[in-house]
């Protein structure tokens, strides 16, 4: 893949060598993400952050990553603050805003909308999530997290054992992650969900087509007993026709410390794309897991900055210039000493 000037719209764009390239650059970004060093390599560049659907981590993570490389961020959040409410098309929006930006990150509730926007954009567009379709940067940071967690134990990604749990029908993060896992060898995938919220069949077939072992089940305890990664997801209420329909499935697959101790191997890593739903009737990852050293959800979120910094550096072709504009950080920052 030639990253320079490219849109990042789908995991299907990537080959295994491309993933390794992203991860190598992400590793090199760590001193900047931890504020040990600072760089102004994108000074003067502008990120257009366009989020037409609710977001905390993804939106701020993209902005933080761009700021850490020295660039500036301009944001549009919600349809109500956009001329789309006046009938403006995605084509017109793309033509105008790409004249104001050097790169655009976009989230939109309709599947395929970001790709449609990118066709009219004059600058690279990165998909921050399009409906229930894909979330490519989340899949990249998820796999980067898995790689880091397993590498500390002398393991690689080939032969990975992973359980994906929850709303697998609407969860764009697990859709993209499944596509990404197809680039690796001998992966064992267990898909845990109510039958009505099962992983789309075409993704199950893609996993099997490349030789992966796939088990589809609604039995949580047995599914997490022999895995490296337990990847939990929330019920995607915003994808249902009503709250009442979502409530039918909420709280069905809860993981807490007692269940973890009883069924999981001692080093099973717990992941979640966040936000986790901490309401009493949901609580898919209980707060009593917060002190479990294998709870990787906050390391996962931190890794999102590294991966998104890497993508910006690759797409804007400044990887070899990052260190040239680097200097020491003068202010106090606890990140340099507390990496949790």
């Amino acid at each position: 893949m030639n990253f320079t000037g490219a849109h990042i719209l789908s995991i299907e764009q990537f080959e295994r060598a491309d993933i390794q390239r992203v991860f190598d650059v992400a590793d090199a970004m760590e001193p900047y993400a931890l504020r040990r060093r600072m760089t102004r390599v994108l000074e003067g560049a502008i990120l257009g952050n366009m989020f037409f659907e609710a977001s905390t981590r993804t939106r701020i993570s993209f902005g933080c990553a761009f700021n850490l490389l020295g660039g500036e961020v301009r944001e549009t959040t919600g349809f109500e603050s956009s001329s789309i409410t006046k009938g403006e098309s995605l084509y017109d929006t793309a033509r105008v805003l790409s004249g104001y930006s050097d790169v655009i990150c976009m989230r939109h509730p309709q599947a395929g909308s970001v790709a449609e926007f990118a066709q009219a954009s004059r600058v690279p567009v990165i998909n921050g999530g399009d409906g229930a379709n894909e979330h490519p940067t989340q899949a990249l940071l998820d796999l980067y997290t898995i790689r880091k967690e397993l590498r500390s134990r002398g393991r690689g990604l080939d032969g990975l054992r992973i359980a994906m749990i929850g709303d697998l029908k609407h969860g764009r993060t697990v859709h993209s992650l499944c596509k990404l896992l197809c680039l690796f060898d001998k992966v064992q995938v267990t898909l845990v969900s109510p039958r009505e919220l099962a992983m789309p069949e075409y993704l199950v077939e893609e996993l099997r087509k490349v030789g992966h072992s796939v088990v589809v089940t609604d039995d949580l305890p047995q599914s997490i007993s022999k895995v490296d990664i337990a990847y939990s997801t929330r019920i995607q209420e915003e994808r249902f026709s009503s709250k009442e329909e979502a409530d039918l499935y909420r709280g069905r697959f809860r993981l807490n410390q007692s269940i973890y101790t009883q069924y999981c191997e001692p080093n099973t890593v717990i992941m979640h794309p966040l936000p986790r739903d901490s309401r009493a009737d949901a609580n898919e990852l209980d707060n009593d897991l917060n002190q479990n050293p294998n709870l990787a959800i906050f390391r996962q979120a931190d890794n999102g900055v590294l991966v998104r910094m890497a993508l910006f550096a690759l797409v804007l072709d400044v990887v070899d210039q990052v260190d040239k504009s680097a200097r020491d950080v003068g202010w106090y920052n606890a990140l340099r000493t507390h990496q949790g």
Side-chain angles (χ1 to χ4, degrees):
M1 178 178 176
N2 179 9
F3 284 93
T4 303
H7 301 306
I8 306 296
L9 303 175
S10 170
I11 284 300
E12 293 177 354
Q13 297 174 241
F14 294 87
E15 297 181 3
R16 184 161 173 164
D18 303 322
I19 303 301
Q20 186 61 52
R21 176 63 171 152
V22 172
F23 289 177
D24 288 345
V25 176
D27 287 342
M29 294 297 169
E30 187 168 298
Y32 304 102
L34 293 177
R35 323 299 200 271
R36 295 190 184 117
R37 301 275 284 164
M38 62 181 295
T39 179
R40 306 299 298 170
V41 69
L42 291 183
E43 186 171 15
I46 295 174
L47 165 67
N49 232 10
M50 299 179 58
F51 277 72
F52 297 117
E53 192 174 52
S55 173
T56 301
R57 271 151 303 281
T58 303
R59 178 175 60 85
I60 295 176
S61 175
F62 270 123
C64 176
F66 206 75
N67 287 150
L68 288 170
L69 291 169
E72 299 183 15
V73 182
R74 300 290 182 269
E75 292 196 332
T76 296
T77 56
F79 285 108
E80 66 279 359
S81 61
S82 164
S83 290
I84 290 176
T85 60
K86 303 175 183 178
E88 185 172 60
S89 67
L90 282 177
Y91 177 90
D92 287 2
T93 304
R95 292 291 293 175
V96 171
L97 294 185
S98 60
Y100 302 157
S101 310
D102 296 284
V103 61
I104 291 172
C105 297
M106 184 178 182
R107 171 173 288 187
H108 196 284
Q110 295 179 355
S113 55
V114 180
E116 178 185 348
F117 180 92
Q119 290 180 348
S121 175
R122 293 174 278 175
V123 299
V125 175
I126 300 178
N127 185 357
D130 59 328
N133 182 33
E134 277 210 62
H135 196 344
T137 65
Q138 180 71 46
L140 289 169
L141 76 87
D142 287 343
L143 194 69
Y144 183 72
T145 301
I146 294 169
R147 171 178 171 264
K148 289 181 77 171
E149 297 290 324
L150 295 186
R151 188 168 56 181
S152 67
R153 300 161 194 183
R155 295 275 310 283
L157 291 169
D158 293 322
L160 170 69
R161 303 171 301 162
I162 183 170
M164 301 183 192
I165 306 157
D167 185 353
L168 306 185
K169 176 181 179 179
H170 301 108
R172 59 192 171 203
T173 64
V174 288
H175 296 172
S176 291
L177 184 55
C178 281
K179 293 180 180 182
L180 199 50
L181 292 177
C182 288
L183 298 175
F184 296 85
D185 299 326
K186 298 179 180 179
V187 178
Q188 298 177 38
V189 183
T190 305
L191 303 172
V192 190
S193 71
R195 180 178 55 83
E196 298 85 354
L197 301 182
M199 184 71 72
E201 187 59 32
Y202 81 94
L203 288 169
V204 176
E205 289 306 310
E206 282 187 25
L207 290 165
R208 287 177 172 153
K209 186 177 180 179
V210 298
H212 294 342
S213 168
V214 183
V215 174
V216 178
T217 181
D218 61 0
D219 185 346
L220 177 64
Q222 294 305 313
S223 301
I224 59 176
S225 62
K226 294 181 180 179
V227 296
D228 304 302
I229 306 292
Y231 189 108
S232 179
T233 65
R234 68 181 174 88
I235 299 300
Q236 305 278 305
E237 181 180 321
E238 64 272 26
R239 311 288 176 216
F240 289 81
S241 58
S242 68
K243 180 181 182 299
E244 290 71 26
E245 183 185 1
D247 286 342
L248 295 175
Y249 307 103
R250 206 186 309 275
R252 290 273 294 273
F253 297 107
R254 298 185 182 189
L255 181 58
N256 57 31
Q257 186 58 51
S258 176
I259 293 172
Y260 182 93
T261 301
Q262 184 174 356
Y263 294 104
C264 291
E265 294 177 351
N267 289 323
T268 298
V269 177
I270 307 165
M271 294 177 59
H272 191 298
L274 299 178
R276 56 175 166 170
D277 190 339
S278 297
R279 290 174 289 189
D281 59 343
N283 204 24
E284 66 265 9
L285 286 185
D286 197 288
N287 286 334
D288 70 2
L289 289 164
N290 287 354
Q291 303 309 311
N292 187 320
N294 295 309
L295 183 72
I297 61 176
F298 302 117
R299 296 192 291 273
Q300 193 178 347
D302 288 346
N303 288 334
V305 175
L306 294 169
V307 168
R308 288 167 178 136
M309 289 178 74
L311 289 173
F312 285 135
L314 287 161
V315 167
L316 296 178
D317 196 24
V318 294
V319 172
D320 295 334
Q321 303 173 46
V322 171
D323 292 339
K324 294 178 181 178
S325 66
R327 57 189 175 89
D328 290 337
V329 168
W331 65 86
Y332 168 77
N333 192 302
L335 287 174
R336 293 200 288 264
T337 53
H338 301 289
Q339 299 177 30

